[in-house]
Amino acid sequence: LKFYHDLGVFLFYANIPDLDQKVIINPDWLVRELGKLLRPSKSQRRTERRRIRRKFEESGILDQTLLNKIWESSGDISARQIMNLLESFLLAISIDDSKDNYFLPLM
């Protein structure tokens, strides 16, 4: 698995909690999923999550409610697993022990 991961054929993260049993066979899919952080869907703009998204855009704080909404249709990989990936690459920092809120310095 590591060989094909190194080639970029698919993604396998043996050292990331909850992802060590998953193989992402389409790396472009992951890029699109991560892009949802920067580009809200039409449904996110029209709902009560607008306030939460505005807070995220202004402060870089990602709330669990928005996190779940962004990645509700991500298939076999949960929002928590995606956040574990971002944390492992130091792109997100959990700001509480429950891991319900994250700070994303990129914002």
Side-chain angles (χ1 to χ4, degrees):
L1 290 175
K2 184 177 178 344
F3 174 74
Y4 288 108
H5 172 87
D6 291 344
L7 288 176
V9 174
F10 55 72
L11 302 174
F12 175 67
Y13 298 102
N15 59 339
I16 298 176
D18 297 330
L19 284 177
D20 56 351
Q21 300 296 313
K22 305 265 185 190
V23 175
I24 300 170
I25 58 173
N26 183 353
D28 289 336
W29 172 86
L30 182 61
V31 171
R32 284 191 305 276
E33 291 301 306
L34 295 175
K36 291 178 181 179
L37 278 173
L38 304 174
R39 198 180 59 252
S41 69
K42 291 178 182 175
S43 65
Q44 288 172 9
R45 288 186 290 235
R46 288 188 226 144
T47 66
E48 75 281 353
R49 289 175 185 80
R50 182 181 216 170
R51 177 186 57 79
I52 298 168
R53 176 160 279 285
R54 191 175 318 117
K55 175 184 171 188
F56 172 54
E57 291 171 348
E58 291 172 359
S59 68
I61 304 296
L62 182 58
D63 176 280
Q64 185 67 36
T65 304
L66 182 60
L67 203 159
N68 289 334
K69 184 62 181 168
I70 289 172
W71 290 309
E72 68 185 350
S73 62
S74 294
D76 290 337
I77 295 183
S78 69
R80 173 97 45 205
Q81 291 169 322
I82 293 173
M83 292 311 297
N84 285 344
L85 178 68
L86 291 176
E87 277 189 290
S88 72
F89 288 115
L90 303 176
L91 297 173
I93 302 162
S94 177
I95 57 174
D96 55 25
D97 291 338
S98 65
K99 293 196 170 215
D100 285 340
N101 294 292
Y102 293 88
F103 173 67
L104 278 76
L106 65 98
M107 296 311 287

